[in-house]
Amino acid sequence: MTTATLHPTAGARPLADLLTMLRRNLLRAVRYPALTSFTVVIPVLLLLLFVFVFGGAIGAGVTPGAAPGAEGRAAYLDYITPAILLFAVVGAAQSVAITAAMDAHSGIMARFRTMAISPGSVLGGPVLGTVVQGLVAVAVVLTVAVALGFRPGAGVPGWLALVGLVALVTFATTWLCVAMGLAAPSVETASNTPMLLTALPFLSSGLVPVATMPAPVRAFAEHQPFTPVVETTRALLAGTTPDGATALLAVGWCVAVAAVGYAWSRTLYRRERR
Amino acid sequence: MTSEPAVDVRGLRKSYGDLTVLDGVDLTVAAGTVTALLGPNGAGKTTIVGILSTLLSPDGGSARVAGHDVVTQGDAVRRAIGVTGQVSAVDDLLTGVENLRLMTALHHLGRRAGRERVDALLTQFGLTEAARKPVSTWSGGMRRKLDLAMTLVGSPAVVFLDEPTTGLDPRSRRTLWDEVRALVAAGTTVLLTTQYLEEADHLADRVAVLDRGRIVAEGTAAELKSAHDAGSLDDVFLRLTEPTPDAPSAPTTREVA
C-alpha cells in the first residue's frame, strides 16, 4: 500500500507498460517518416560535405603525410566517420524532444498521467525506441561511409562494443532530450535546446585534432563528453584497443547524463500543467 | 456496494499566485450516479477535475475518489478512474484500433480479451468503419467518441468528463449522452462538467452550480428550479452566476493550452 507520497511510482507491471510504450513509439516512427529520416539525412549530408568539399584540404592536415586532394579526402573520411556517427545519434535524440513535446501538448500525456502507469514506462518507451532508431541510423550512415571507401578494421568483439557504446550514447542523449522536449513551451520550440547538442561533436576531437584549436576551445573540447566517446568509437572502428581510461570516461559521462536526463524528465512529467 | 460516496470533496482550495481558482469547494457524488458541475468559463470546473484525476495538487481541503485520497493514494485513485479532458487525448498518428489497443495493453487485458474489448467499443461508438484509418483524418465528433472509448477501456468505476460535448453537433451530443446513460446504468459513477444547461438537465441526477471557485447551489434540477423560483435551469444559472466583467477569468486547462 502506498501512502503519503506525492509522486507514487508503481504501475502494477512497469516492464509490460514499457514494452507497450516502446511499441507505440516505433509505430509512430513508421507513421511519421519525415522526422525519422531526418536523423539519417543530416549526418549523410554532413559526411558528403566534409569529405568532398573540405576533405581534400583538411585531410592533409589531420593525417601527417597525406597529400592534398584524393589522398586527403580518404584520410579525412577515416578521421571523421566516428564523429559523423555521433551526429546520427544526436539527430535521433533530437527527434525524441519533438515527440515528447507533441505528447505533452496533445493531451495524451495527461491521459497517461491519470492512469496507473509509472513515469519510467511512459517516458522510457520513447527512449528505447530512439535507441533502436539511433542504431539503425548509425548503421545506415556507416554503410554510406563504407560505400565512400571507409574500411573499418573492427573484429567481432569490437563491433559488439561499438553497438553497446552507440546504444549507451543514444540512451543518455535521448533521456536528456526527453527532458528538454518536456520543458519546451511548445512543440515548435522543442528542438531548440537539443539543437545545442549538435554543436558538441564540432567542438570535440571528432572533426579536427584538439591540438590545432586555440587554448580555450581546446580546453572545452578536451573535457566535454563527446571527445572520449569519439576517441573510443574511433579506436573500436579501427580495430585497435581503445584507451581504457578514455573508454571509462566515455561510459561514465553517458551514465551521468542519462541519470540527470531521467531525473529531470520524471520531475517534468509530474509537473502541473495548466 | 458501500455507502461511501464515489467522490467526496471537502473545502477544496487551489490558487495560482494571487488568483484563487477554488475557494473552498464541497462536493459529494454518490456511487452510481451522474453529477453535472455547471458553471461559466473560468469558474474552476476543469481545476476540480484536474485535482480529482491527480493531475493537479490541491492547496487545501481534501478530496477522495472511490475511497482513496487523491494526494496520498494517487495510484489507487488512478486505478479507479477514467478521464476525458477538454484537450483531445488520442494519438493522431495511430489508427482508431491502434489507439484502443494501446489502452487495452496498458490495462493488461491480454491479446484476446483486448481484441474483444476493442471490437465491442468500436461497435458501441459506431467507429468500426473508420477504425483502421489514422485518427488525424477523423472528424472532431469521431475523435471525441474515440477519446471516451479509450477512457472506458479499463471499465473505470468513476469517470470524469470535462465538457464532453463542447464543439459537438447535436447528433454526436445525443450519442454521447446515450453512452453516459448506459455507463451509469451499468453502475459507473460520472462527474461531468458542462456549460450547457440542457445537458445538465437531461443527464444529471444532481447538479452543482460552480461560480468563482465556490459551489453556489446543489441539488436535483427540479430542486434547483423550485428553490430559485425559476422556470428553467437557465434562469437558475443566470441568477446564481453573476457576470463580473472586471474580474479576470480563472485559468483553465483549455484557455491556457
Side-chain angles (χ1 to χ4, degrees):
Chain A
M1 177 96 222
T2 52
T3 47
T5 163
L6 264 168
H7 305 283
T9 49
R13 290 167 62 183
L15 190 63
D17 294 343
L18 179 68
L19 293 176
T20 299
M21 290 303 187
L22 168 63
R23 202 157 51 234
R24 167 176 181 249
N25 180 264
L26 293 176
L27 204 51
R28 286 173 60 91
V30 172
R31 293 290 154 74
Y32 196 3
L35 189 59
T36 314
S37 55
F38 171 81
T39 64
V40 177
V41 170
I42 298 291
V44 167
L45 287 179
L46 283 174
L47 181 65
L48 296 175
L49 175 75
F50 280 118
V51 170
F52 288 106
V53 179
F54 303 142
I58 306 180
V62 298
T63 309
E71 209 175 308
R73 274 195 290 279
Y76 201 47
L77 176 64
D78 275 350
Y79 189 82
I80 62 164
T81 295
I84 298 296
L85 300 185
L86 290 182
F87 280 113
V89 166
V90 174
Q94 272 179 25
S95 72
V96 91
I98 297 168
T99 55
M102 284 167 81
D103 277 1
H105 292 274
S106 78
I108 198 151
M109 193 168 278
R111 178 188 288 287
F112 295 145
R113 288 174 61 205
T114 63
M115 298 171 68
I117 321 168
S118 86
S121 303
V122 175
L123 303 170
V127 171
L128 292 188
T130 306
V131 170
V132 173
Q133 289 175 55
L135 285 169
V136 170
V138 163
V140 170
V141 175
L142 193 57
T143 306
V144 174
V146 168
L148 297 179
F150 180 70
R151 290 295 171 262
V156 174
W159 282 115
L160 290 178
L162 198 63
V163 169
L165 182 63
V166 167
L168 186 63
V169 177
T170 316
F171 182 76
T173 320
T174 301
W175 269 117
L176 195 60
C177 286
V178 167
M180 288 171 172
L182 293 179
S186 69
V187 177
E188 288 74 20
T189 55
S191 59
N192 289 2
T193 324
M195 204 68 88
L196 296 175
L197 295 176
T198 312
L200 290 180
F202 284 106
L203 298 173
S204 76
S205 64
L207 300 176
V208 293
V210 294
T212 61
M213 299 173 181
V217 183
R218 177 180 177 169
F220 178 80
E222 279 177 340
H223 296 100
Q224 67 118 326
F226 276 97
T227 291
V229 170
V230 164
E231 289 307 320
T232 307
T233 307
R234 184 172 281 145
L236 289 171
L237 273 175
T240 57
T241 308
D243 175 62
T246 309
L248 207 59
L249 191 60
V251 171
W253 266 115
C254 289
V255 171
V257 169
V260 169
Y262 173 73
W264 188 16
S265 301
R266 249 187 102 99
T267 308
L268 291 172
Y269 178 74
R270 280 286 173 220
R271 179 180 68 169
E272 289 191 3
R273 289 173 185 277
R274 294 207 266 146
Chain B
M1 276 274 292
T2 61
S3 58
E4 186 171 21
V7 175
D8 192 5
V9 172
R10 307 268 173 90
L12 201 62
R13 311 183 69 83
K14 177 77 178 174
S15 34
Y16 294 106
D18 289 342
L19 186 65
T20 301
V21 182
L22 299 181
D23 190 13
V25 169
D26 297 301
L27 181 67
T28 307
V29 180
T33 67
V34 190
T35 290
L37 199 52
L38 185 63
N41 285 325
K45 304 186 295 291
T46 297
T47 305
I48 293 180
V49 171
I51 291 172
L52 293 177
S53 55
T54 76
L55 289 173
L56 305 173
S57 43
D59 295 336
S62 71
R64 297 178 74 79
V65 175
H68 307 290
D69 187 280
V70 295
V71 176
T72 58
Q73 298 168 304
D75 257 342
V77 170
R78 285 188 278 272
R79 267 189 270 278
I81 63 172
V83 187
T84 295
Q86 287 182 31
V87 182
S88 170
V90 300
D91 190 328
D92 275 331
L93 295 181
L94 305 185
T95 67
V97 168
E98 287 163 350
N99 266 290
L100 288 165
R101 287 266 174 82
L102 176 65
M103 290 300 121
T104 58
L106 290 173
H107 284 100
H108 312 126
L109 282 188
R111 197 171 270 278
R112 193 197 167 97
R115 192 163 298 167
E116 285 169 6
R117 186 90 180 107
V118 169
D119 287 344
L121 283 165
L122 286 171
T123 308
Q124 185 184 339
F125 284 88
L127 295 171
T128 308
E129 208 173 305
R132 296 193 182 274
K133 294 182 186 140
V135 173
S136 52
T137 64
W138 289 21
S139 72
M142 288 164 65
R143 293 160 58 91
R144 207 78 189 127
K145 287 180 199 168
L146 177 65
D147 207 333
L148 182 55
M150 287 168 73
T151 297
L152 300 183
V153 162
S155 308
V158 183
V159 171
F160 301 120
L161 305 174
D162 195 7
E163 301 199 6
T165 62
T166 298
L168 291 191
D169 63 59
R171 178 165 290 124
S172 298
R173 178 170 300 165
R174 297 278 162 171
T175 314
L176 270 175
W177 288 359
D178 290 344
E179 293 307 332
V180 172
R181 286 199 193 93
L183 270 179
V184 176
T188 309
T189 307
V190 177
L191 176 63
L192 65 90
T193 75
T194 183
Q195 312 180 41
Y196 301 114
L197 311 144
E198 190 197 1
E199 186 158 288
D201 212 353
H202 270 73
L203 212 49
D205 299 308
R206 298 185 76 81
V207 179
V209 183
L210 186 72
D211 187 43
R212 279 172 286 170
R214 299 186 74 92
I215 301 285
V216 291
E218 202 271 333
T220 64
E223 283 169 3
L224 291 181
K225 286 177 208 169
S226 80
H228 296 277
D229 196 22
S232 70
L233 271 183
D234 264 310
D235 298 331
V236 176
F237 184 87
L238 291 172
R239 248 166 244 185
L240 290 173
T241 65
E242 295 197 18
T244 48
D246 51 334
S249 80
T252 65
T253 304
R254 171 180 227 151
E255 282 160 19
V256 179

Coordinates of all heavy atoms in Angstrom, one line a residue, chain A residues 19 22 30 50 54 57 60 62 79 84 89 119 130 147 167-168 170 174 186 193 206 215 258-259 265 268:
Chain A
L19 N 7.2 -1.9 -22.6 CA 7.2 -2.5 -23.9 C 6.0 -2.0 -24.8 O 6.2 -1.8 -26.0 CB 7.1 -4.0 -23.8 CG 8.4 -4.7 -23.2 CD1 8.2 -6.2 -23.1 CD2 9.6 -4.4 -24.1
L22 N 7.1 1.3 -25.9 CA 8.1 1.1 -27.0 C 7.4 0.8 -28.3 O 7.8 1.4 -29.4 CB 9.1 0.0 -26.6 CG 10.0 -0.5 -27.7 CD1 11.0 0.6 -28.1 CD2 10.8 -1.7 -27.2
V30 N 7.3 4.9 -37.7 CA 7.0 4.4 -39.0 C 5.9 5.3 -39.7 O 6.0 5.6 -40.9 CB 6.4 3.0 -39.0 CG1 5.9 2.5 -40.3 CG2 7.5 2.0 -38.5
F50 N 31.7 17.2 -45.7 CA 33.1 17.3 -45.1 C 34.1 16.5 -46.0 O 35.2 17.0 -46.1 CB 33.1 16.7 -43.7 CG 32.5 17.7 -42.7 CD1 31.4 17.4 -42.0 CD2 33.2 18.9 -42.5 CE1 30.9 18.4 -41.0 CE2 32.8 19.8 -41.6 CZ 31.6 19.6 -40.9
F54 N 35.6 19.7 -47.9 CA 36.7 20.1 -47.1 C 37.8 19.1 -47.1 O 39.0 19.4 -46.8 CB 36.2 20.3 -45.6 CG 35.1 21.3 -45.5 CD1 34.1 21.1 -44.6 CD2 35.1 22.5 -46.2 CE1 33.1 22.0 -44.4 CE2 34.1 23.4 -46.1 CZ 33.1 23.2 -45.2
A57 N 41.5 19.2 -48.5 CA 42.4 20.2 -47.9 C 42.7 19.7 -46.4 O 43.8 19.7 -46.0 CB 41.9 21.6 -47.9
A60 N 44.8 16.4 -45.4 CA 46.3 16.5 -45.3 C 46.8 17.1 -44.0 O 47.9 16.8 -43.5 CB 46.8 17.4 -46.5
V62 N 45.1 16.6 -41.0 CA 44.8 15.7 -39.8 C 45.7 14.4 -39.9 O 45.9 13.7 -38.9 CB 43.3 15.3 -39.7 CG1 42.5 16.6 -39.4 CG2 42.8 14.5 -40.8
Y79 N 39.1 9.8 -40.7 CA 39.2 10.6 -39.4 C 37.8 10.9 -38.9 O 37.5 10.9 -37.7 CB 40.0 11.9 -39.7 CG 40.3 12.6 -38.4 CD1 41.3 12.2 -37.6 CD2 39.5 13.6 -38.0 CE1 41.6 12.8 -36.4 CE2 39.8 14.3 -36.7 CZ 40.8 13.9 -36.0 OH 41.1 14.5 -34.8
I84 N 30.8 11.6 -37.4 CA 29.5 11.6 -38.2 C 28.5 10.6 -37.6 O 27.3 10.9 -37.6 CB 29.8 11.3 -39.7 CG1 30.8 12.3 -40.3 CG2 28.5 11.2 -40.5 CD1 30.3 13.7 -40.4
V89 N 23.5 9.9 -33.9 CA 22.9 9.7 -32.6 C 22.2 10.9 -32.0 O 21.1 10.9 -31.5 CB 24.1 9.3 -31.6 CG1 23.7 9.4 -30.2 CG2 24.6 7.9 -32.0
P119 N 5.9 6.6 -14.5 CA 6.5 7.6 -15.4 C 7.7 7.0 -16.2 O 7.9 7.3 -17.4 CB 7.1 8.7 -14.5 CG 6.3 8.5 -13.2 CD 5.9 7.1 -13.1
T130 N 14.0 5.2 -29.4 CA 15.0 6.1 -30.0 C 16.4 5.4 -30.1 O 17.1 5.6 -31.0 CB 15.1 7.4 -29.3 OG1 13.8 8.0 -29.2 CG2 16.0 8.4 -30.0
A147 N 30.6 2.8 -48.4 CA 30.4 3.0 -49.9 C 31.4 4.0 -50.4 O 31.8 4.0 -51.5 CB 29.0 3.4 -50.2
A167 N 24.6 2.5 -28.5 CA 23.3 2.4 -27.7 C 23.4 3.2 -26.5 O 22.4 3.9 -26.1 CB 23.0 0.9 -27.4
L168 N 24.5 3.1 -25.8 CA 24.6 3.9 -24.5 C 24.6 5.4 -24.7 O 23.9 6.1 -24.0 CB 25.9 3.4 -23.8 CG 26.1 4.0 -22.4 CD1 25.0 3.5 -21.4 CD2 27.4 3.6 -21.8
T170 N 23.3 7.0 -27.3 CA 21.9 7.3 -27.7 C 21.0 7.4 -26.5 O 20.2 8.3 -26.3 CB 21.4 6.3 -28.7 OG1 22.4 6.0 -29.7 CG2 20.2 6.9 -29.4
T174 N 19.3 10.7 -25.3 CA 17.8 10.7 -25.5 C 17.1 11.1 -24.2 O 16.2 11.9 -24.2 CB 17.4 9.3 -26.0 OG1 18.0 9.1 -27.3 CG2 15.9 9.3 -26.2
S186 N 6.4 24.9 -26.3 CA 5.6 24.4 -27.4 C 6.3 23.4 -28.2 O 7.5 23.2 -28.1 CB 5.2 25.6 -28.2 OG 6.4 26.1 -28.9
T193 N 16.6 23.7 -27.8 CA 17.6 23.4 -26.8 C 18.5 22.2 -27.3 O 19.7 22.2 -27.2 CB 17.0 23.1 -25.4 OG1 15.9 24.0 -25.3 CG2 18.0 23.4 -24.3
G206 N 36.3 15.2 -32.9 CA 35.7 14.5 -34.0 C 36.1 14.9 -35.4 O 36.2 14.1 -36.3
A215 N 43.6 27.8 -27.3 CA 43.6 27.2 -25.9 C 42.2 27.1 -25.3 O 41.9 26.0 -24.7 CB 44.5 28.0 -25.0
A258 N 22.6 10.3 -18.6 CA 21.4 9.5 -18.6 C 20.7 9.7 -17.2 O 19.4 9.9 -17.2 CB 21.6 8.0 -18.8
A259 N 21.4 9.7 -16.1 CA 20.8 9.8 -14.8 C 20.2 11.2 -14.6 O 19.0 11.4 -14.2 CB 21.9 9.6 -13.7
S265 N 13.5 14.5 -16.5 CA 12.3 14.1 -17.2 C 11.1 13.7 -16.3 O 10.0 14.1 -16.4 CB 12.5 12.9 -18.1 OG 13.5 13.2 -19.1
L268 N 9.6 16.7 -14.7 CA 8.8 17.5 -15.6 C 7.5 16.7 -15.9 O 6.4 17.3 -16.1 CB 9.6 17.7 -16.9 CG 10.7 18.7 -16.8 CD1 11.5 18.7 -18.1 CD2 10.2 20.1 -16.5

